[in-house]
CSV table of all heavy atoms in Angstrom, one decimal:
chain,number,residue,atom,x,y,z
A,1,ALA,N,-49.7,-121.4,-119.7
A,1,ALA,CA,-50.5,-122.1,-120.7
A,1,ALA,C,-50.1,-123.6,-120.7
A,1,ALA,O,-48.9,-123.9,-120.6
A,1,ALA,CB,-50.3,-121.5,-122.1
A,2,ILE,N,-51.1,-124.4,-120.8
A,2,ILE,CA,-50.9,-125.9,-120.9
A,2,ILE,C,-52.0,-126.5,-121.7
A,2,ILE,O,-53.2,-126.1,-121.5
A,2,ILE,CB,-50.7,-126.5,-119.5
A,2,ILE,CG1,-50.3,-128.0,-119.6
A,2,ILE,CG2,-51.9,-126.4,-118.7
A,2,ILE,CD1,-49.8,-128.6,-118.3
A,3,LYS,N,-51.7,-127.6,-122.4
A,3,LYS,CA,-52.8,-128.3,-123.2
A,3,LYS,C,-53.5,-129.2,-122.3
A,3,LYS,O,-52.9,-129.9,-121.5
A,3,LYS,CB,-52.1,-129.0,-124.4
A,3,LYS,CG,-51.5,-128.2,-125.4
A,3,LYS,CD,-50.9,-129.0,-126.5
A,3,LYS,CE,-50.3,-128.1,-127.6
A,3,LYS,NZ,-49.6,-128.9,-128.6
A,4,GLY,N,-54.8,-129.3,-122.5
A,4,GLY,CA,-55.7,-130.2,-121.8
A,4,GLY,C,-55.2,-131.7,-121.9
A,4,GLY,O,-55.3,-132.5,-120.9
A,5,THR,N,-54.8,-132.1,-123.1
A,5,THR,CA,-54.3,-133.5,-123.3
A,5,THR,C,-53.1,-133.7,-122.4
A,5,THR,O,-52.9,-134.9,-121.9
A,5,THR,CB,-54.0,-133.8,-124.8
A,5,THR,OG1,-53.1,-132.8,-125.3
A,5,THR,CG2,-55.3,-133.7,-125.6
A,6,ASP,N,-52.2,-132.7,-122.3
A,6,ASP,CA,-51.0,-132.9,-121.4
A,6,ASP,C,-51.4,-133.1,-120.0
A,6,ASP,O,-50.8,-133.9,-119.2
A,6,ASP,CB,-50.1,-131.7,-121.6
A,6,ASP,CG,-49.4,-131.7,-122.9
A,6,ASP,OD1,-49.3,-132.7,-123.6
A,6,ASP,OD2,-48.9,-130.6,-123.3
A,7,ILE,N,-52.5,-132.4,-119.6
A,7,ILE,CA,-52.9,-132.5,-118.2
A,7,ILE,C,-53.4,-134.0,-118.0
A,7,ILE,O,-53.1,-134.6,-116.9
A,7,ILE,CB,-54.1,-131.5,-117.9
A,7,ILE,CG1,-53.5,-130.1,-118.0
A,7,ILE,CG2,-54.7,-131.8,-116.5
A,7,ILE,CD1,-54.6,-129.0,-118.0
A,8,ALA,N,-54.2,-134.5,-118.9
A,8,ALA,CA,-54.7,-135.8,-118.8
A,8,ALA,C,-53.6,-136.9,-118.8
A,8,ALA,O,-53.6,-137.8,-118.0
A,8,ALA,CB,-55.7,-136.1,-120.0
A,9,ASP,N,-52.6,-136.7,-119.7
A,9,ASP,CA,-51.5,-137.6,-119.7
A,9,ASP,C,-50.7,-137.6,-118.4
A,9,ASP,O,-50.4,-138.7,-117.9
A,9,ASP,CB,-50.5,-137.2,-120.8
A,9,ASP,CG,-51.0,-137.3,-122.2
A,9,ASP,OD1,-52.1,-138.0,-122.4
A,9,ASP,OD2,-50.4,-136.7,-123.2
A,10,ARG,N,-50.4,-136.5,-117.9
A,10,ARG,CA,-49.7,-136.4,-116.6
A,10,ARG,C,-50.5,-136.9,-115.4
A,10,ARG,O,-50.0,-137.5,-114.5
A,10,ARG,CB,-49.3,-134.9,-116.3
A,10,ARG,CG,-48.4,-134.3,-117.3
A,10,ARG,CD,-47.1,-134.9,-117.5
A,10,ARG,NE,-46.3,-134.2,-118.4
A,10,ARG,CZ,-45.4,-134.7,-119.2
A,10,ARG,NH1,-45.2,-136.0,-119.2
A,10,ARG,NH2,-44.7,-134.0,-120.0
A,11,SER,N,-51.8,-136.7,-115.5
A,11,SER,CA,-52.7,-137.2,-114.4
A,11,SER,C,-52.6,-138.8,-114.3
A,11,SER,O,-52.4,-139.3,-113.2
A,11,SER,CB,-54.1,-136.9,-114.7
A,11,SER,OG,-54.3,-135.5,-114.6
A,12,VAL,N,-52.6,-139.4,-115.4
A,12,VAL,CA,-52.5,-140.9,-115.5
A,12,VAL,C,-51.1,-141.3,-115.0
A,12,VAL,O,-51.0,-142.3,-114.2
A,12,VAL,CB,-52.7,-141.4,-116.9
A,12,VAL,CG1,-52.3,-142.9,-117.0
A,12,VAL,CG2,-54.2,-141.3,-117.2
A,13,GLN,N,-50.1,-140.6,-115.4
A,13,GLN,CA,-48.7,-140.9,-114.9
A,13,GLN,C,-48.6,-140.8,-113.4
A,13,GLN,O,-48.0,-141.7,-112.7
A,13,GLN,CB,-47.7,-140.0,-115.6
A,13,GLN,CG,-47.5,-140.3,-117.0
A,13,GLN,CD,-46.6,-139.3,-117.7
A,13,GLN,OE1,-45.9,-138.5,-117.0
A,13,GLN,NE2,-46.5,-139.4,-119.0
A,14,GLU,N,-49.2,-139.8,-112.8
A,14,GLU,CA,-49.2,-139.6,-111.4
A,14,GLU,C,-50.0,-140.6,-110.6
A,14,GLU,O,-49.6,-141.1,-109.6
A,14,GLU,CB,-49.7,-138.2,-111.0
A,14,GLU,CG,-48.7,-137.1,-111.3
A,14,GLU,CD,-47.4,-137.1,-110.4
A,14,GLU,OE1,-47.5,-137.4,-109.2
A,14,GLU,OE2,-46.4,-136.9,-111.0
A,15,MET,N,-51.1,-141.1,-111.2
A,15,MET,CA,-51.9,-142.1,-110.6
A,15,MET,C,-51.1,-143.4,-110.6
A,15,MET,O,-51.2,-144.2,-109.6
A,15,MET,CB,-53.2,-142.3,-111.4
A,15,MET,CG,-54.2,-141.2,-111.2
A,15,MET,SD,-55.6,-141.4,-112.3
A,15,MET,CE,-56.7,-140.1,-111.8
A,16,ARG,N,-50.4,-143.7,-111.6
A,16,ARG,CA,-49.5,-144.9,-111.6
A,16,ARG,C,-48.5,-144.8,-110.5
A,16,ARG,O,-48.2,-145.8,-109.9
A,16,ARG,CB,-48.8,-145.0,-113.0
A,16,ARG,CG,-49.6,-145.6,-114.1
A,16,ARG,CD,-48.8,-145.9,-115.3
A,16,ARG,NE,-49.6,-146.3,-116.4
A,16,ARG,CZ,-49.9,-145.6,-117.5
A,16,ARG,NH1,-49.4,-144.4,-117.6
A,16,ARG,NH2,-50.7,-146.0,-118.4
A,17,LYS,N,-47.9,-143.6,-110.3
A,17,LYS,CA,-46.9,-143.4,-109.3
A,17,LYS,C,-47.4,-143.6,-107.9
A,17,LYS,O,-46.7,-143.9,-107.0
A,17,LYS,CB,-46.2,-142.1,-109.4
A,17,LYS,CG,-45.3,-142.0,-110.6
A,17,LYS,CD,-44.7,-140.6,-110.7
A,17,LYS,CE,-43.8,-140.5,-112.0
A,17,LYS,NZ,-43.2,-139.2,-112.1
A,18,GLN,N,-48.7,-143.5,-107.7
A,18,GLN,CA,-49.4,-143.8,-106.4
A,18,GLN,C,-49.5,-145.3,-106.2
A,18,GLN,O,-50.0,-145.7,-105.2
A,18,GLN,CB,-50.7,-143.1,-106.4
A,18,GLN,CG,-50.6,-141.6,-106.3
A,18,GLN,CD,-52.0,-141.0,-106.2
A,18,GLN,OE1,-52.8,-141.3,-105.4
A,18,GLN,NE2,-52.3,-140.0,-107.1
A,19,GLY,N,-49.2,-146.1,-107.3
A,19,GLY,CA,-49.3,-147.5,-107.2
A,19,GLY,C,-50.5,-148.1,-107.8
A,19,GLY,O,-50.7,-149.3,-107.7
A,20,PHE,N,-51.3,-147.3,-108.5
A,20,PHE,CA,-52.5,-147.9,-109.2
A,20,PHE,C,-52.1,-148.4,-110.6
A,20,PHE,O,-51.6,-147.6,-111.4
A,20,PHE,CB,-53.6,-146.8,-109.3
A,20,PHE,CG,-54.9,-147.3,-109.8
A,20,PHE,CD1,-55.7,-148.0,-108.9
A,20,PHE,CD2,-55.3,-147.2,-111.1
A,20,PHE,CE1,-57.0,-148.5,-109.3
A,20,PHE,CE2,-56.5,-147.7,-111.6
A,20,PHE,CZ,-57.3,-148.4,-110.7
A,21,LEU,N,-52.3,-149.7,-110.8
A,21,LEU,CA,-51.8,-150.3,-112.0
A,21,LEU,C,-52.8,-151.0,-112.9
A,21,LEU,O,-52.5,-151.8,-113.7
A,21,LEU,CB,-50.7,-151.3,-111.6
A,21,LEU,CG,-49.5,-150.7,-110.9
A,21,LEU,CD1,-48.5,-151.8,-110.4
A,21,LEU,CD2,-48.8,-149.6,-111.6
A,22,ASP,N,-54.1,-150.7,-112.6
A,22,ASP,CA,-55.2,-151.3,-113.4
A,22,ASP,C,-55.2,-150.5,-114.7
A,22,ASP,O,-55.9,-149.5,-114.8
A,22,ASP,CB,-56.5,-151.2,-112.7
A,22,ASP,CG,-57.7,-151.9,-113.4
A,22,ASP,OD1,-57.6,-152.0,-114.7
A,22,ASP,OD2,-58.6,-152.3,-112.8
A,23,GLU,N,-54.5,-151.0,-115.7
A,23,GLU,CA,-54.4,-150.3,-117.0
A,23,GLU,C,-55.7,-150.1,-117.8
A,23,GLU,O,-55.9,-149.2,-118.5
A,23,GLU,CB,-53.4,-151.0,-117.9
A,23,GLU,CG,-51.9,-150.9,-117.4
A,23,GLU,CD,-51.4,-149.4,-117.2
A,23,GLU,OE1,-51.8,-148.6,-118.1
A,23,GLU,OE2,-50.7,-149.2,-116.3
A,24,VAL,N,-56.7,-151.0,-117.5
A,24,VAL,CA,-58.0,-150.9,-118.2
A,24,VAL,C,-58.7,-149.7,-117.6
A,24,VAL,O,-59.2,-148.8,-118.4
A,24,VAL,CB,-58.8,-152.2,-118.0
A,24,VAL,CG1,-60.2,-152.0,-118.6
A,24,VAL,CG2,-58.1,-153.3,-118.7
A,25,LYS,N,-58.7,-149.5,-116.3
A,25,LYS,CA,-59.4,-148.4,-115.7
A,25,LYS,C,-58.6,-147.1,-116.1
A,25,LYS,O,-59.2,-146.1,-116.4
A,25,LYS,CB,-59.4,-148.5,-114.2
A,25,LYS,CG,-60.6,-149.3,-113.7
A,25,LYS,CD,-60.8,-149.2,-112.2
A,25,LYS,CE,-62.0,-149.9,-111.8
A,25,LYS,NZ,-62.2,-149.8,-110.3
A,26,LEU,N,-57.3,-147.1,-116.0
A,26,LEU,CA,-56.5,-146.0,-116.4
A,26,LEU,C,-56.8,-145.5,-117.8
A,26,LEU,O,-56.9,-144.3,-118.0
A,26,LEU,CB,-55.0,-146.2,-116.2
A,26,LEU,CG,-54.5,-146.3,-114.7
A,26,LEU,CD1,-53.1,-146.7,-114.6
A,26,LEU,CD2,-54.6,-144.9,-114.0
A,27,ALA,N,-56.9,-146.4,-118.7
A,27,ALA,CA,-57.2,-146.1,-120.1
A,27,ALA,C,-58.5,-145.4,-120.2
A,27,ALA,O,-58.7,-144.4,-121.0
A,27,ALA,CB,-57.1,-147.3,-121.0
A,28,ALA,N,-59.5,-145.9,-119.5
A,28,ALA,CA,-60.9,-145.4,-119.6
A,28,ALA,C,-60.9,-144.0,-119.0
A,28,ALA,O,-61.5,-143.0,-119.5
A,28,ALA,CB,-61.9,-146.3,-118.8
A,29,TRP,N,-60.2,-143.8,-117.8
A,29,TRP,CA,-60.2,-142.5,-117.2
A,29,TRP,C,-59.4,-141.5,-118.1
A,29,TRP,O,-59.7,-140.3,-118.2
A,29,TRP,CB,-59.5,-142.6,-115.8
A,29,TRP,CG,-60.3,-143.3,-114.8
A,29,TRP,CD1,-61.7,-143.5,-114.8
A,29,TRP,CD2,-59.8,-143.9,-113.6
A,29,TRP,NE1,-62.0,-144.2,-113.7
A,29,TRP,CE2,-60.9,-144.5,-112.9
A,29,TRP,CE3,-58.5,-144.1,-113.0
A,29,TRP,CZ2,-60.8,-145.2,-111.7
A,29,TRP,CZ3,-58.4,-144.8,-111.8
A,29,TRP,CH2,-59.5,-145.3,-111.2
A,30,HIS,N,-58.3,-142.0,-118.7
A,30,HIS,CA,-57.5,-141.1,-119.5
A,30,HIS,C,-58.4,-140.6,-120.7
A,30,HIS,O,-58.3,-139.4,-121.0
A,30,HIS,CB,-56.3,-141.9,-120.1
A,30,HIS,CG,-55.4,-141.1,-120.9
A,30,HIS,ND1,-55.1,-141.3,-122.2
A,30,HIS,CD2,-54.6,-140.0,-120.5
A,30,HIS,CE1,-54.2,-140.5,-122.6
A,30,HIS,NE2,-53.9,-139.7,-121.6
A,31,ALA,N,-59.1,-141.4,-121.3
A,31,ALA,CA,-60.0,-141.0,-122.4
A,31,ALA,C,-61.0,-140.0,-121.9
A,31,ALA,O,-61.3,-139.0,-122.5
A,31,ALA,CB,-60.7,-142.2,-123.0
A,32,GLN,N,-61.6,-140.2,-120.7
A,32,GLN,CA,-62.6,-139.2,-120.1
A,32,GLN,C,-61.9,-137.9,-119.8
A,32,GLN,O,-62.4,-136.9,-120.1
A,32,GLN,CB,-63.2,-139.8,-118.9
A,32,GLN,CG,-64.2,-141.0,-119.2
A,32,GLN,CD,-64.7,-141.5,-117.9
A,32,GLN,OE1,-64.0,-142.2,-117.1
A,32,GLN,NE2,-66.0,-141.3,-117.6
A,33,MET,N,-60.7,-138.0,-119.2
A,33,MET,CA,-60.0,-136.7,-118.9
A,33,MET,C,-59.6,-135.9,-120.1
A,33,MET,O,-59.8,-134.7,-120.1
A,33,MET,CB,-58.8,-137.0,-118.0
A,33,MET,CG,-59.1,-137.4,-116.6
A,33,MET,SD,-57.7,-137.6,-115.5
A,33,MET,CE,-56.9,-139.1,-116.1
A,34,LYS,N,-59.2,-136.6,-121.1
A,34,LYS,CA,-58.8,-135.9,-122.4
A,34,LYS,C,-60.0,-135.2,-123.0
A,34,LYS,O,-59.9,-134.2,-123.6
A,34,LYS,CB,-58.3,-136.9,-123.4
A,34,LYS,CG,-56.8,-137.3,-123.1
A,34,LYS,CD,-56.2,-138.3,-124.0
A,34,LYS,CE,-56.6,-138.4,-125.4
A,34,LYS,NZ,-55.9,-139.4,-126.2
A,35,SER,N,-61.2,-135.8,-122.8
A,35,SER,CA,-62.4,-135.1,-123.3
A,35,SER,C,-62.9,-134.0,-122.4
A,35,SER,O,-63.7,-133.1,-122.9
A,35,SER,CB,-63.5,-136.1,-123.6
A,35,SER,OG,-64.1,-136.6,-122.3
A,36,ILE,N,-62.5,-134.0,-121.2
A,36,ILE,CA,-63.0,-133.0,-120.2
A,36,ILE,C,-62.0,-131.8,-120.1
A,36,ILE,O,-62.4,-130.7,-120.1
A,36,ILE,CB,-63.2,-133.6,-118.8
A,36,ILE,CG1,-64.4,-134.6,-118.9
A,36,ILE,CG2,-63.4,-132.5,-117.8
A,36,ILE,CD1,-64.5,-135.4,-117.6
A,37,PHE,N,-60.7,-132.1,-119.9
A,37,PHE,CA,-59.8,-131.1,-119.6
A,37,PHE,C,-59.5,-130.1,-120.8
A,37,PHE,O,-59.0,-130.5,-121.8
A,37,PHE,CB,-58.4,-131.7,-119.2
A,37,PHE,CG,-58.5,-132.5,-117.9
A,37,PHE,CD1,-57.4,-133.3,-117.6
A,37,PHE,CD2,-59.6,-132.5,-117.1
A,37,PHE,CE1,-57.4,-134.1,-116.4
A,37,PHE,CE2,-59.6,-133.3,-115.9
A,37,PHE,CZ,-58.5,-134.1,-115.6
């Protein structure tokens, strides 16, 4: 079992680790993922 919000949070963290640092896009994607997952 895992919460959808935790999945969204971790997804953003992993995207940052890949070197993506556009915080505006990450924030928008994070909001979308939280509403989907």
Side-chain angles (χ1 to χ4, degrees):
I2 186 169
K3 293 180 182 177
T5 56
D6 290 342
I7 296 168
D9 294 346
R10 302 293 185 216
S11 296
V12 168
Q13 290 174 8
E14 287 291 320
M15 289 174 173
R16 280 188 187 107
K17 287 181 181 180
Q18 290 179 53
F20 190 78
L21 302 175
D22 184 335
E23 291 300 324
V24 173
K25 277 191 177 180
L26 285 171
W29 292 337
H30 186 242
Q32 289 177 291
M33 288 186 287
K34 282 175 34 178
S35 71
I36 293 171
F37 296 168

